[in-house]
Amino acid sequence: MAAALRFDGRVVLVTGAGGGLGKAYALAFAERGASVVVNDLGGDFKGYGKSSSAADKVVNEIRAKGGKAVPNYDSVEDGEKLVKTALEAFGRIDIVINNAGILRDRSFVRISDEDWDIIHRIHLRGSFLVTRAAWNHMKNQKFGRIIMTCSAAGIYGNFGQANYSAAKLGLLGLSNTIAIEGRKYNIHCNTIAPTAGSRLTQTVMPQDMVDAFKPEYVAPLVLWLCHESCQENGSLFEVGAGWIGKLRWERSLGALVRGKNQPMTPEAVREKWEKVCDFDNASKPRSIQESISVLNDALSQIESQGNVSVNSTSSGSVVSSAVNTANVIGRELATKVYTYTHLEPILYALGVGMSTKDPDHLKFLFEGSEEFCCLPSFAVIPAQTSVFDGVASLPGLNFDFTKMLHGEQYLELYKPLPTSGQLTSVSTVADILDKGSGAVLLVDVNTYCGKDLLCYNQFTVFFVGAGGFGGKRTSEKAKVAVNPPRRPPDAVLSDVTTADQAALYRLSGDWNPLHVDPSFAALGGFKKPILHGLCSFGFAARHVLKHFANNDVTRFKAIKVRFAKPVFPGQTLETEMWKEGNRIHFQTKVKETGEIAIAGGYVDITSSLDKSSASEPVKTAGLQSDLVFEEIGRRIKEIGNELVKKVNAVFQWDITKDGKTAVQWTIDLKNGSGEVYQGPARSSADTIFTLSDQDFMDVVQQKTNPQKAFFSGKLKVKGNIMLSQKLETILKDYAKL
């Protein structure tokens, strides 16, 4: 059973805690270890009078049960005094429950100025003042939880409560903004609209319902939202009678009521009214950015029709959008050199979720592994800087780069990537498309190792609101995503991303603060930082590599994806895969929501039967190490019997050149009188060493210590590593030329 939610060491301020909901909150927090400030002015439900007895009774009840509590009798309009009580009694403030409230119910025409003002002063201004007093303390300690109390009357309206309804919905707006501003400091703010029996609801509910809707049925939601493990922020909940529901806004798709050379008129609105109010396929905007984005799309759609009037009721200035595609297509963006060691491929593998918990992952995480190699999807890393740096410098493109989205990705590999080296990426604009609501830039990137072409990337970059310039909508140069077969998937693999997945992945070179800074993410319309699309891409690529290619990177030839929905760190990525010949179709979902994050994906692999024998040594002439092995062979012939007795082992050497095995040598000091010969061990080798020709020479000439070569990844050892100590003596005594 999950551990109980505790609040030991936390200090909670509950306003209006002398009875009803506030009392239930105070008792519940205290029961679970919190120190509680019980605030209550002691007046009646209309705000008249004052007494200390209400707060004192609750404090005494908490103390009688062994809890910690102090009373406060100030009005919420004296917010600083309430917080001061918490600081003086307990030294800190962690949680604020804005619960205090009164009623002055009147029909709209009978509401006096006083009735209007006092409701707003207590509910809205009082919550503001108390929260503001606590804010900097929460900010400095990097923790805070705040609850605002709304009402069904505020959400839906209610006869006779215009003043109350306005104040309560105002609290929702206050809460939503505080949630955005506080997120980066780990200050979360949520709003509840409770239905519970109290002195306030007695005026609008019959007594039997007041008795049935107990405050104790609301308190558990408040405690959960205020716990340090709860990450909910900026949300609204209705709660009562043991039921909880989350609310969100819904918006119809709406309708355009103006077009080419057509002014917007009341008659045009009337004609489109049914569509304006049609909630089929409605959207659910979550932020002001999402709210406004539809207007940008509408403008782009109108502009794509030609010159249009921007005046609301009459003809006016003409807006046109022009892109000189002739100056853009075929233009080289940038040439970037990427220098790396074994560290970068390992860091990338960790960034896309690989772990030493899986033995199959070791070849991607340990430079000392005999099979150490790069994940195929690592090939996007050297290419990406040549795209995003270069696009910003293109002349003739009047695009807003704050609205640039990475829409699709294609990668084709011609050779496995070296685990270290220097790669050169050359990026070129392949085409530019007009999608109406935006412009699409196709950028081709060829990546070379020396003169050898290693891989090809195509980045599809979408600029929101930049369409309507009259360009073509499709391109034969585009690598197109392909929908999966209409049948159940042949295989499904899933991985849980960690809360720090984006923070880890960005170390591979994508430093966009959207993926780590909550305030920056909020500007983009996200409730928290999102995972890099190319990180999800890496997860999906390795799912296919593992299931259909047994992690053999030489079989991985190409991959295409379309980025459909954002992923938040901590969510589970689930890849569904369909095999059709040598093509693996796939889509990747967020398991918790069911939303497709990567759509239309496929990976092309080669059959295991079609693989060339890349593992066979390449014939290479003129290796320096050949001379050393030949000399060792001559010298140990004289004392081979003695060495066999001392060593009793077979050593195999795999000497590499340009990352490939160039030659194999065996020193047999186990059989007969000992022997040195070219080729793999005839019987099983006790120890196999792998290193480059030059590194071998540095070791035997004592320029490099063997232990340092091993720990730096230059020397890889498989088998009985302890026998290498005996070999070191042989190299010192018999390898001197």
Side-chain angles (χ1 to χ4, degrees), residues 316-338:
S317 58
V318 172
V319 175
S320 64
S321 178
V323 174
N324 190 343
T325 57
N327 288 342
V328 175
I329 298 173
R331 186 183 184 93
E332 184 175 308
L333 288 176
T335 298
K336 295 285 185 177
V337 176
Y338 182 78

Side-chain angles (χ1 to χ4, degrees), residues 275-296:
K275 189 174 181 181
V276 168
C277 299
D278 183 358
F279 276 86
D280 287 345
N281 301 312
S283 64
K284 299 170 180 65
R286 297 171 298 175
S287 68
I288 193 169
Q289 289 80 11
E290 288 185 26
S291 172
I292 294 173
S293 66
V294 70
L295 303 181
N296 290 326

Side-chain angles (χ1 to χ4, degrees), residues 200-366:
L200 297 190
T201 54
Q202 283 176 338
T203 64
V204 293
M205 293 170 58
Q207 188 60 43
D208 58 341
M209 289 187 68
V210 172
D211 295 337
F213 287 89
K214 296 181 179 179
E216 289 79 9
Y217 297 151
V218 175
L221 169 63
V222 171
L223 266 67
W224 163 238
L225 291 174
C226 293
H227 196 265
E228 60 193 23
S229 65
C230 180
Q231 296 304 303
E232 194 72 36
N233 189 29
S235 299
L236 169 64
F237 299 89
E238 286 187 292
V239 54
W243 172 89
I244 303 169
K246 185 174 181 177
L247 279 76
R248 63 185 179 187
W249 292 102
E250 185 178 56
R251 179 175 63 190
S252 72
L253 291 181
L256 281 174
V257 291
R258 68 182 180 95
K260 184 179 181 179
N261 298 322
Q262 292 178 346
M264 185 174 177
T265 65
E267 292 76 17
V269 175
R270 178 185 62 194
E271 291 173 9
K272 293 291 182 72
W273 192 244
E274 185 175 347
K275 189 174 181 181
V276 168
C277 299
D278 183 358
F279 276 86
D280 287 345
N281 301 312
S283 64
K284 299 170 180 65
R286 297 171 298 175
S287 68
I288 193 169
Q289 289 80 11
E290 288 185 26
S291 172
I292 294 173
S293 66
V294 70
L295 303 181
N296 290 326
D297 291 343
L299 284 173
S300 298
Q301 189 175 340
I302 294 169
E303 289 169 7
S304 67
Q305 301 171 5
N307 296 335
V308 298
S309 165
V310 296
N311 186 289
S312 60
T313 57
S314 62
S315 61
S317 58
V318 172
V319 175
S320 64
S321 178
V323 174
N324 190 343
T325 57
N327 288 342
V328 175
I329 298 173
R331 186 183 184 93
E332 184 175 308
L333 288 176
T335 298
K336 295 285 185 177
V337 176
Y338 182 78
T339 303
Y340 64 108
T341 67
H342 62 271
L343 176 64
E344 282 77 8
I346 293 173
L347 195 58
Y348 174 81
L350 292 169
V352 297
M354 302 208 91
S355 167
T356 54
K357 293 178 181 178
D358 190 332
D360 290 344
H361 292 182
L362 193 62
K363 63 188 286 188
F364 302 106
L365 297 174
F366 177 41

